[in-house]
Amino acid sequence: MVPAQRLLDIPPYPFREIAQLKAKAIAEGQDLVDWGIGDPDQPTPDHIVEAYQKEIWNAEWHRYDETGYGDMAFREAIAYHGRQRFGIEVDPKTEIQVAAGTKDSLALINWAFVNPGDIVLVPDPGYAVYKVNASFAGGTPYPTPLLPENGYLPDLSAIPAEVARQAKLLFLNYPQNPTTAVASHEFFQEAVRWALDNGVVICHDAAYIEIAYEGYRPVSILEVEDAKRCCIEFHSFSKTYNMTGWRLGWSWGHPEIITALSKMKSNVDNGVFLALQRAGAAALRGPQKCVEELCRMYQRRRDLLVGGLNSLGWRLEKPKATFYVWAPCPKGFSSAESGPASTDREAGRGRGREAESSESLSSALARALLVDCGVLVIPGAVYGAHGEGFFRMSLTIEADDPEARIKEGIQRMRDNLELEF
Ligand SMILES: *Cc1c(COP(=O)(O)O)cnc(C)c1O
């Protein structure tokens, strides 16, 4: 069976090598500290599950959602959330589209707007979904480098005029996966101005907008004046309410962008189960204490992990948002048995071996952490060329005592790796 060229053209699934190494380690009975995938380990809050349980018996919800945009009561709850949380006015009739999580919208927005040859500006490092679907739609993904010295914000003024002219979409994602960077109101203002000047649609992925620490409240791009003239923003229940498996989210923004997305979506699927939409309304209208508690839990893990890494020689600042830690690879590393990294670089694993093969530094580090320490991290190169030299650790940890696992992982790194910064 030969699949379509568009499928053959995309690079192999970036997590494949990691997944293979992980499967092998587990098959060999290795006890892994898993800082890999970002998937909340806590259950969905009871009041949301209970709301769903109740709604599921209502036969009215057992049929197609024929609205094309989503249940009106749910869209009204989303508009209410917009007022409460961001102080924005969004019209539930024309400016909101219900989605099965955000991933489907991130895909469909490309299909709705990109003609063959159009440029789609994507963050590098960033979530691969934007890029892959831009290619599926016949577009050309164009990476915008996110550099630490710019706070991992794209330098829009550096985008060549010719590229800007051909660009159709600009993907942004703040708080950002994988760098944990956040964006200010001022940055969004600048982005909106740039997009209006260049006739580009901004697609803002706000999946982590509620996962933030110490009172920091990430902003919605729709808070910016004129944003509704050129933006769509994607929201998800996945991270906020531990609902990755449920598949629920929404988009809001310019009515014409919402209409185009809705038209595309109704040709691809028939909307989200209505009982789930009602449960989503209950989540948005209900108490938000569960979100605060979730953030406090991640915050404790964040402090343990960042503190642990800094005790090993890193100099990391605590991320303001997301449940990740993004860290630079040390200059040198090797397994402790083979001697100090500074005197015996060629021996053992880690960087010594990297010098002999085409394996990137971040992959070599991830491999050394896995093989020498039984610790799983994601090499930054997986997220794009500018992710190289970094690695990502997730604070979502499936274990009876996640905090103990963080300490265990740090201890293993202390015992088994020689690090040079
Ligand atoms: C987890 C994540 C999402 C959310 O995906 P859903 O489809 O809503 O589950 C979106 N964008 C990024 C960058 C993510 O990391």
Side-chain angles (χ1 to χ4, degrees):
M1 277 319 152
V2 182
Q5 196 58 38
R6 72 175 68 84
L7 207 50
L8 299 174
D9 283 345
I10 60 169
Y13 187 57
F15 293 98
R16 200 177 53 177
E17 202 211 7
I18 294 285
Q20 280 169 351
L21 286 167
K22 179 178 167 181
K24 184 164 167 281
I26 290 170
E28 287 168 357
Q30 202 179 8
D31 165 49
L32 277 189
V33 173
D34 190 347
W35 289 334
I37 290 294
D39 187 355
D41 53 274
Q42 295 296 301
T44 304
D46 286 350
H47 67 281
I48 302 173
V49 179
E50 280 158 13
Y52 184 61
Q53 229 168 6
K54 186 161 102 4
E55 298 292 348
I56 205 170
W57 288 105
N58 185 343
E60 221 185 307
W61 308 151
H62 295 178
R63 313 184 62 203
Y64 286 128
D65 171 3
E66 287 180 344
T67 62
Y69 292 85
D71 174 58
M72 188 45 91
F74 183 34
R75 280 188 273 156
E76 278 166 359
I78 292 166
Y80 165 82
H81 173 72
R83 281 192 297 278
Q84 292 290 311
R85 168 65 176 89
F86 303 107
I88 57 173
E89 284 301 326
V90 182
D91 184 350
K93 288 193 202 67
T94 56
E95 297 178 335
I96 295 174
Q97 162 75 53
V98 170
T102 49
K103 202 179 198 177
D104 76 324
S105 312
L106 296 171
L108 294 174
I109 197 72
N110 277 291
W111 287 92
F113 279 91
V114 176
N115 285 315
D118 286 346
I119 283 177
V120 176
L121 300 158
V122 297
D124 178 358
Y127 193 49
V129 174
Y130 321 127
K131 186 170 65 181
V132 168
N133 283 284
S135 301
F136 280 167
T140 306
Y142 185 93
T144 53
L146 307 187
L147 307 174
E149 56 268 34
N150 296 334
Y152 297 109
L153 299 168
D155 180 359
L156 299 174
S157 64
I159 295 170
E162 184 54 21
V163 171
R165 203 184 56 73
Q166 294 177 61
K168 204 70 190 277
L169 305 177
L170 165 66
F171 278 93
L172 299 174
N173 166 218
Y174 294 98
Q176 216 247 353
N177 175 13
T179 63
T180 79
V182 297
S184 64
H185 188 89
E186 290 67 35
F187 170 75
F188 282 144
Q189 252 169 351
E190 183 196 320
V192 165
R193 222 173 292 129
W194 184 90
L196 287 171
D197 286 350
N198 289 283
V200 169
V201 170
I202 294 183
C203 304
H204 182 230
D205 177 356
Y208 294 94
I209 202 156
E210 303 306 336
I211 308 298
Y213 307 112
E214 290 157 319
Y216 174 69
R217 302 285 267 166
V219 293
S220 162
I221 200 165
L222 293 199
E223 292 177 44
V224 168
E225 198 185 347
D226 285 342
K228 261 200 253 166
R229 290 173 55 204
C230 62
C231 297
I232 182 167
E233 185 171 74
F234 307 99
H235 287 254
S236 176
F237 285 69
S238 290
K239 315 293 161 62
T240 310
Y241 300 108
N242 303 322
M243 290 176 69
T244 47
W246 297 66
R247 313 310 305 136
L248 189 63
W250 76 88
S251 317
W252 56 20
H254 190 315
E256 285 172 27
I257 308 176
I258 292 291
T259 300
L261 180 64
S262 171
K263 187 171 174 188
M264 185 53 70
K265 188 167 172 64
S266 46
N267 280 285
V268 174
D269 82 349
N270 284 306
V272 173
F273 182 27
L274 286 160
L276 176 53
Q277 298 192 50
R278 291 295 169 125
L284 293 178
R285 289 194 187 272
Q288 301 303 306
K289 212 170 122 240
C290 54
V291 184
E292 286 165 33
E293 281 165 7
L294 185 68
C295 291
R296 272 202 296 277
M297 182 196 78
Y298 288 135
Q299 190 177 320
R300 284 194 298 277
R301 297 182 187 178
R302 175 200 73 166
D303 293 349
L304 273 176
L305 183 55
V306 170
L309 290 167
N310 285 349
S311 78
L312 295 175
W314 269 272
R315 288 200 207 148
L316 301 173
E317 284 178 28
K318 290 172 182 171
K320 286 198 178 70
T322 78
F323 47 54
Y324 302 111
V325 171
W326 178 249
C329 299
K331 234 186 327 177
F333 49 86
S334 60
S335 51
E337 310 91 69
S338 64
S342 53
T343 57
D344 196 6
R345 284 246 183 113
E346 297 308 308
R349 305 181 178 90
R351 202 173 191 192
R353 201 174 52 189
E354 185 255 336
E356 292 157 25
S357 72
S358 61
E359 191 177 37
S360 74
L361 179 61
S362 64
S363 299
L365 178 68
R367 184 186 295 274
L369 283 169
L370 190 65
V371 174
D372 295 336
C373 310
V375 166
L376 188 73
V377 303
I378 309 287
V382 157
Y383 301 98
H386 291 89
E388 179 47 24
F390 293 84
F391 63 105
R392 193 197 77 175
M393 288 161 287
S394 175
L395 301 172
T396 61
I397 297 164
E398 221 188 308
D400 293 337
D401 186 348
E403 293 182 25
R405 294 301 280 172
I406 292 174
K407 291 182 198 159
E408 167 73 17
I410 294 291
Q411 191 58 43
R412 289 185 189 181
M413 289 169 71
R414 194 185 309 284
D415 291 344
N416 298 300
L417 274 188
E418 295 286 345
L419 300 166
E420 186 202 336
F421 289 89

